[in-house]
Amino acid sequence: MRRTLVYSMVRTLLVLAATLLAPALPTFAEDAADLLLTHGVFYPVEPATSVVGSLAVRDGRIAYLGPDDGAAAFRGPGTEVIDLGGRAVTPGLIDAHSHLLGLGAALAQVDLVDTTSYEEVVSRVAAAAAETPAGTWVRGRGWDQNDWPGERDFPEHGPLSRAVPDHPVWLTRIDGHAALLNAAALRVLGIDAATSDPSGGRFLRDAEGRPTGVLIDNAMDVVRGRLPDPPPAEVRRQLALAARRAAELGLTTVTDMGVGDAAIAAYRELAEAGELPVRAALFLGDDAALLERWFDHGPLLDLDGRLMVRGVKLYADGALGSRGAALVEPYSDDPANLGLLTASGEHLREVATRAVASGFQVGIHAIGDRGNLVALDALEAALAASPDADDPRLRIEHAQVMRPQDIARMARLGVIASMQPTHATSDMPWAPDRLGEHRLAGAYAWREVLDAGGRLALGSDFPVERPDPLLGLHAAVTRQDLQGDPPGGWLPDQRLGRQEALRGFTLDAAWSLFLDHLVGSLEVGKRADLVVFDRDPMTVPEAEIPRVQVDLTVIDGRVVHRREAAP
């Protein structure tokens, strides 16, 4: 009896000691997930496979990804549980090159996308002017003369001026590299036969030397400052409108390429008010005073990755559609035209070098092969001037037409190819005429970039293209338009596989923005940015990819968009 009592006392003391010395275990409430997605098909991107099961989110981060059975431990009384019923989930989609505020402005302007004739453009603008007080500017965006059958030449302002005589009108071309003005706008801005062309730009003229109303590249910039600026409240409204639209499309991270003080102020105000539903990476515009201030200040780095200013956007040339892209040899359909270098190589080298030395990333817009050559020269010089720069992740924006040796050079330098798949499918009806067959080998050459050892960061360049990333995924894997033309795809050897395309819109896009440690893949510990689709974009027939719907968009574990009727 005494020995049993002693044993009992010893066991009690041992249990008490173990309890006092053991580390504190988490309570059930601490262990439970805030959000639990069950019975889904998850595409983590890294590795390039799929996981059938559940995903748990705790404190904005992924806490579990695996079989459904293992998720039971994460279910608590406060857990929101969504049964996916077999639906597909990918990481949140990322647009590596876009213009979010530009999308907001486009949503507030006359929509000229998909107009099929100049007459339709005039009709839409006239209808908008009828609802606007006389003398007020009317703006629009999205016209493309290449989409007007039999009208590949640029329009002249006559029909527009006659239909809208009492409002100054500014209509930006789809690519943002040309604008059409009516007579009232030409008068207000002081553009006439005596106005000279600026370096890197043109005022198109008729046979008598009078302005036709079309401004190309830097010609827009020399007069744009005379346009009235929208008030700050309107900038914030447009930005919020565009951010909501992005979230509806499954975009969890966007970029804004080439912003200034007004845009940055609007972003900061929305972010501080908790009204910016997406992550935003901003690239500063090429303005001397703006860059001087930021180079002295240094990048704005949000540790949570919600708002960052750490990039500088420069321009080497114009656009292919307006024959402003700078080519090594003349345009095949305009033998007297080499395109336009919108900045000197010296300027690009100087700004890029200062940016890298100040801790900023650089992205240079370069579309033609000569533009890309000049851009690579500038980036190589910047790297040489700062050999100890910590992982600068320099970028070429668009990289649409490149010589094979420059694709290899881009990869060797570690320069990211920031490319937009829908540019290829938009341009393919007329790009061969511009370039000729001999230059097509390096045109929109996504596969060539990967085969050379380069890295692709994919985007859309919206509002130049539509912002829906599924259109980009479709273009990347098919190189066809939405009608399935051409059969087999345009230059089909450059197509990407679906996992490659998804990686370009997720992990590699995140890497291009220094966000890969936070987002871009479905990994335990990363931020819970993800998209739930009504059908699986990775397995549906290719032609069906653009018709897949976004049911849920989740950022930091919080549902920021829920499609009606979706659980």
Side-chain angles (χ1 to χ4, degrees):
M1 180 70 177
R2 184 178 300 169
R3 181 178 300 172
T4 302
L5 180 60
V6 170
Y7 286 164
S8 177
M9 291 176 64
V10 169
R11 284 199 303 271
T12 301
L13 290 172
L14 288 174
V15 170
L16 180 60
T19 302
L20 293 174
L21 295 175
L25 296 175
T27 67
F28 183 77
E30 291 172 337
D31 210 29
D34 304 309
L35 175 67
L36 186 60
L37 305 179
T38 64
H39 305 111
V41 179
F42 299 86
Y43 291 92
V45 173
E46 187 64 56
T49 184
S50 62
V51 175
V52 177
S54 296
L55 182 145
V57 178
R58 185 194 300 124
D59 295 330
R61 295 183 181 270
I62 298 172
Y64 173 82
L65 175 61
D68 286 313
D69 290 348
F74 294 88
R75 188 188 296 251
T79 302
E80 179 184 4
V81 180
I82 299 177
D83 188 334
L84 298 177
R87 285 177 292 172
V89 182
T90 70
L93 300 174
I94 298 172
D95 197 309
H97 182 111
S98 57
H99 305 270
L100 189 67
L101 185 53
L103 175 62
L107 292 172
Q109 295 178 11
V110 183
D111 182 8
L112 303 176
V113 176
D114 297 329
T115 48
T116 57
S117 67
Y118 186 22
E119 289 75 14
E120 186 178 356
V121 169
V122 171
S123 176
R124 292 190 190 185
V125 175
E131 303 296 323
T132 306
T136 303
W137 280 86
V138 175
R139 303 193 200 189
R141 179 164 184 150
W143 62 272
D144 184 353
Q145 82 282 3
N146 295 303
D147 293 340
W148 306 339
E151 299 183 45
R152 292 292 179 89
D153 292 333
F154 280 109
E156 297 192 358
H157 72 80
L160 179 63
S161 298
R162 288 190 290 273
V164 188
D166 300 324
H167 300 75
V169 175
W170 180 294
L171 307 179
T172 304
R173 191 180 182 277
I174 184 70
D175 58 11
H177 287 266
L180 171 63
L181 282 60
N182 69 346
L186 293 172
R187 286 194 302 271
V188 170
L189 297 175
I191 301 170
D192 57 28
T195 303
S196 59
D197 290 343
S199 174
R202 293 194 190 103
F203 295 97
L204 297 192
R205 305 169 195 277
D206 62 19
E208 286 74 39
R210 297 170 300 195
T212 65
V214 173
L215 284 57
I216 306 291
D217 286 314
N218 287 357
M220 294 188 293
D221 294 336
V222 299
V223 297
R224 203 192 306 265
R226 303 174 205 166
L227 295 171
D229 292 325
E234 176 61 13
V235 175
R236 291 193 299 273
R237 186 189 74 84
Q238 292 178 5
L239 185 58
L241 185 67
R244 287 196 298 272
R245 180 61 180 146
E248 291 168 359
L249 295 170
L251 288 168
T252 56
T253 300
V254 296
T255 47
D256 210 330
M257 309 299 289
V259 300
D261 288 325
I264 294 170
Y267 273 103
R268 297 181 86 159
E269 289 174 13
L270 285 179
E272 290 168 3
E275 297 174 2
L276 187 65
V278 295
R279 303 183 194 278
L282 312 185
F283 281 63
L284 300 167
D286 187 6
D287 176 86
L290 175 74
L291 294 180
E292 190 68 35
R293 292 196 305 273
W294 278 92
F295 289 167
D296 288 342
H297 175 276
L300 172 66
L301 303 179
D302 177 1
L303 295 180
D304 291 329
R306 296 305 294 252
L307 180 63
M308 296 149 296
V309 183
R310 72 177 305 161
V312 174
K313 167 74 178 300
L314 304 176
Y315 281 88
D317 64 353
L320 195 64
S322 53
R323 295 187 183 87
L327 301 180
V328 172
E329 299 174 4
Y331 279 81
S332 296
D333 60 354
D334 189 1
N337 185 7
L338 285 168
L340 297 168
L341 287 174
T342 55
S344 69
E346 180 181 359
H347 175 76
L348 295 176
R349 288 192 298 272
E350 178 187 349
V351 177
T353 298
R354 289 196 62 203
V356 172
S358 302
F360 283 84
Q361 183 182 26
V362 178
I364 301 182
H365 164 114
I367 289 183
D369 51 10
R370 183 162 57 111
N372 277 282
L373 174 61
V374 171
L376 283 173
D377 286 346
L379 294 180
E380 186 168 18
L383 289 171
S386 298
D388 298 325
D390 184 20
D391 194 15
R393 302 191 192 184
L394 306 183
R395 304 161 39 129
I396 294 285
E397 307 301 325
H398 311 308
Q400 285 183 9
V401 184
M402 299 187 73
R403 303 180 304 171
Q405 62 266 39
D406 288 327
I407 293 176
R409 180 187 177 200
M410 180 169 60
R412 185 176 68 254
L413 292 172
V415 172
I416 300 162
S418 170
M419 304 180 77
Q420 299 74 47
T422 49
H423 279 339
T425 51
S426 292
D427 297 358
M428 64 186 181
W430 46 262
D433 293 337
R434 297 278 198 278
L435 300 173
E437 290 297 324
H438 65 291
R439 279 184 287 220
L440 292 181
Y444 313 87
W446 317 318
R447 174 61 55 198
E448 291 295 326
V449 171
L450 293 181
D451 287 349
R455 193 187 293 253
L456 282 175
L458 300 182
S460 69
D461 198 18
F462 69 68
V464 175
E465 301 282 353
R466 290 160 64 184
D468 187 348
L470 289 175
L471 298 178
L473 184 68
H474 172 263
V477 302
T478 67
R479 292 181 75 98
Q480 294 176 323
D481 63 21
L482 297 180
Q483 288 70 49
D485 293 321
W490 180 57
L491 305 175
D493 58 332
Q494 296 303 313
R495 289 179 301 185
L496 301 177
R498 293 199 210 196
Q499 285 283 358
E500 291 173 318
L502 179 62
R503 185 183 181 100
F505 276 106
T506 54
L507 188 57
D508 282 354
W511 191 88
S512 79
L513 300 170
F514 294 89
L515 290 172
D516 52 302
H517 64 295
L518 288 177
V519 296
S521 58
L522 301 180
E523 298 180 56
V524 172
K526 280 195 171 183
R527 297 284 184 178
D529 288 13
L530 52 90
V531 187
V532 178
F533 300 95
D534 70 334
R535 289 184 294 162
D536 191 337
M538 305 299 287
T539 60
V540 297
E542 290 177 345
E544 294 295 312
I545 293 174
R547 290 186 274 279
V548 172
Q549 297 288 314
V550 173
D551 277 350
L552 298 171
T553 304
V554 177
I555 299 179
D556 275 336
R558 185 172 67 88
V559 176
V560 297
H561 164 69
R562 191 187 303 261
R563 187 168 67 95
E564 288 187 23

